[in-house]
Amino acid sequence: MTKSPWFDTSIEHALVTHQSPEDEQGYYVYQLDALKTHLATLQQQDVIKLWFAVKANPLSKIIQTLDSEGFNFDVASTGELTQVLAQGIDPSRVLNTGPAKSKKQLDAFVKKGVRTFVVESLNQLNWLNEVVLEQAESLTNDEKPKVLLRVQLQWHEGEKNPLGGNSLTPFGLSVSEWQNIHVDSYPALNLCGLHIFQWGNMLSNEKMFSLWSQMITPLTDLANSIGMTLDVLDLGGGLGIDYLGEGQALSWSQVIEDLAVIKEKSGVKELWLELGRFAVAECGYYVVPVVDRKINYGQEQLVLAAGINHLLRPAITEQPFPVQILREGFSAEKSIMQAFDLHGPLCTSMDKLGHLLLPEDIAIGERLVFGYCGAYGFTESMPFFLCHELAAEYVYQNGTFTQVRAAQPASSYMA
C-alpha cells in the first residue's frame, strides 16, 4: 500500500476505525510518539536555545510533550501563559512576545514569575521598567528581567508574508527608533538582546542564511550605539513545511551549520529560535467527511462537513494542506485520480481548502485526511461563523486513541 509521504501509516487503522457521531463535522488527532521523536532530533545540537511558539498549537498534551523534550515556551497572550503554567511549566522558562502588551499585562506577567520579555515599542520598554520598579520589594536582586528589543528591518528583495516580510508591520521598531534610547536609562531591566522575525514558512536554507547574514551588521551596530552588550540574538522562527509537496524540505543539519556561523559572526553568547510549525506541524491530522459532490461548469466539486471554519490557513496563504482519502487498502498508484475543488460549509467563496487530487470514485460519506495539521489548525480556525461546532482534538500515543477535548456544539458558546 502506497501512502503520501506526509502520512504515517502507523495511525491509519486508528483513523479508519474511529467512528463517533460527535466527530461527523471533523476532528484533529496528534501523534505524540512521532512528535517526541522529532523534538528529540531537534535538540541534538548545542548551537541554539529552542523555544516553542505556543500560538502554533496550545493543546495541553502538545505542551507537555515539548516540555518533556526540554523546550521553553514563547507566549504572546495572557491565555497562552495561563495554558502553559497549567501544565506545570516554571514561569522562568517563558518568553513573552507579542505587539500588544499593555502595562497591566506586563505587570501581571511579572507577578506570575515571567522574567524574559521581548518589547516591541518604547512604551512597552518604559512600562516594563516601571512595573519592575513598582514591584521591587517583592523581587530579589537576581530577578532583573531579561529584555530583548524587537527590531524591524527592511529589505529591497523578497515578498510579503503573514509575518510582514518586506511590508510595514506593528512588530517591533526600526533601528533609527531604537537608537533614541540608552541601556543605562532602564536600571530595573537587563537589556541584553535583540529580536528579529519577519519571515514565515521559509523553504530555502540558502535564502534563510542570506537573510540571517544581512541582519548581523545592523543589529550589532544598534547594540553598540545604545550601550548594549549583545548577549542574546533571537531570530524567531520561520522554518517552513513543504505543504505543496514540491521537494523543498529544509535540512535541519544545514540550519544548525548556518546558525553556528551566524552565532560566531554576531559574537553573541546565546542564539534563540522560536519554532512553531517546524516543531509540531507533521504530527497532526484533520479528518472530515464529504457531504456532497457535484459538477459546476465542468469542474468536479466536493463539499465537506467543515472547511476554513476548522482549517483557516488555506484562505490566508492560498496554500492547501495536503490531503488523501481515508480508505482501507487505498493506493494512489492503483486508482484513477482527478482534481477536485474542496469546499467547506460556510456561506462565502473563501471557504475553499484547495484544488487537489483524489480518487475519481470518491463517494459522499467517505472521509478525507489532511496532513501537517499539528500547527495552525484548531486555534487559527473560525468556527463561530454560521454557528458551527468546535472540533474535537485527540492524541494517538502507544497505539491508543485518546480524546483530549470533545467536540462542542454552538450552544456551548452562544448567548
Side-chain angles (χ1 to χ4, degrees), residues 145-175:
K146 289 184 178 179
V147 176
L148 281 63
L149 309 180
R150 184 161 185 173
V151 182
Q152 186 172 160
L153 295 179
Q154 291 184 321
W155 284 270
H156 296 296
E157 76 277 7
E159 68 284 332
K160 293 183 179 181
N161 65 48
L163 283 165
N166 285 339
S167 60
L168 186 63
T169 72
F171 305 127
L173 290 175
S174 66
V175 168

Side-chain angles (χ1 to χ4, degrees), residues 159 161-165 197-203 237-240 277:
E159 68 284 332
N161 65 48
L163 283 165
F197 184 18
Q198 295 177 226
W199 303 91
N201 203 43
M202 297 287 289
L203 293 171
L239 280 68
R277 87 181 77 242

Side-chain angles (χ1 to χ4, degrees), residues 270-389:
E270 295 185 28
L271 200 60
W272 297 356
L273 278 188
E274 304 153 12
L275 299 183
R277 87 181 77 242
F278 197 78
V280 298
E282 294 182 32
C283 80
Y285 300 94
Y286 175 70
V287 178
V288 63
V290 176
V291 296
D292 202 359
R293 175 176 177 171
K294 56 188 177 182
I295 299 177
N296 253 330
Y297 294 98
Q299 175 58 53
E300 287 272 9
Q301 296 175 311
L302 296 178
V303 183
L304 312 181
I308 63 172
N309 55 313
H310 288 173
L311 290 177
L312 184 61
R313 186 182 185 278
I316 298 174
T317 65
E318 297 184 353
Q319 286 186 336
F321 289 90
V323 69
Q324 71 177 38
I325 194 167
L326 189 59
R327 181 188 289 175
E328 197 82 62
F330 170 72
S331 170
E333 285 75 13
K334 296 179 181 179
S335 302
I336 299 175
M337 307 291 285
Q338 69 178 52
F340 290 85
D341 281 346
L342 306 183
H343 298 272
L346 305 184
C347 297
T348 169
S349 61
M350 291 176 58
D351 193 5
K352 184 177 180 180
L353 295 185
H355 181 74
L356 298 160
L357 291 174
L358 288 165
E360 68 167 2
D361 62 344
I362 188 170
I364 293 170
E366 289 197 278
R367 291 171 294 166
L368 305 181
V369 55
F370 290 84
Y372 298 142
C373 295
Y376 303 113
F378 174 75
T379 56
E380 194 184 45
S381 63
M382 48 179 292
F384 305 117
F385 189 38
L386 269 68
C387 301
H388 280 284
E389 71 172 27

Side-chain angles (χ1 to χ4, degrees), residues 38-53 66-67 69-74 93-95 212 233-237 239 252 255-256 259 270-276 278-279:
H38 174 59
L39 297 176
T41 299
L42 298 181
Q43 289 284 31
Q44 291 173 5
Q45 47 79 29
D46 58 5
V47 175
I48 52 177
K49 180 176 183 177
L50 292 177
W51 303 77
F52 174 59
L66 283 144
D67 176 34
E69 292 303 317
F71 272 67
N72 299 285
F73 297 88
D74 158 21
R93 293 171 55 203
V94 170
L95 167 67
W212 286 334
L233 184 56
D234 185 340
L235 298 176
L239 280 68
W252 177 247
V255 168
I256 296 303
L259 287 174
E270 295 185 28
L271 200 60
W272 297 356
L273 278 188
E274 304 153 12
L275 299 183
F278 197 78

Side-chain angles (χ1 to χ4, degrees), residues 8-65:
D8 185 343
T9 56
S10 68
I11 198 175
E12 180 180 28
H13 182 70
L15 295 178
V16 169
T17 57
H18 176 71
Q19 300 288 339
S20 172
E22 295 179 352
D23 298 329
E24 290 178 352
Q25 303 301 311
Y27 66 91
Y28 297 89
V29 60
Y30 312 105
Q31 286 180 286
L32 297 186
D33 294 327
L35 174 59
K36 192 173 180 69
T37 299
H38 174 59
L39 297 176
T41 299
L42 298 181
Q43 289 284 31
Q44 291 173 5
Q45 47 79 29
D46 58 5
V47 175
I48 52 177
K49 180 176 183 177
L50 292 177
W51 303 77
F52 174 59
V54 176
K55 63 180 179 289
N57 191 329
L59 188 70
S60 56
K61 291 293 186 180
I62 295 291
I63 292 174
Q64 292 164 18
T65 304

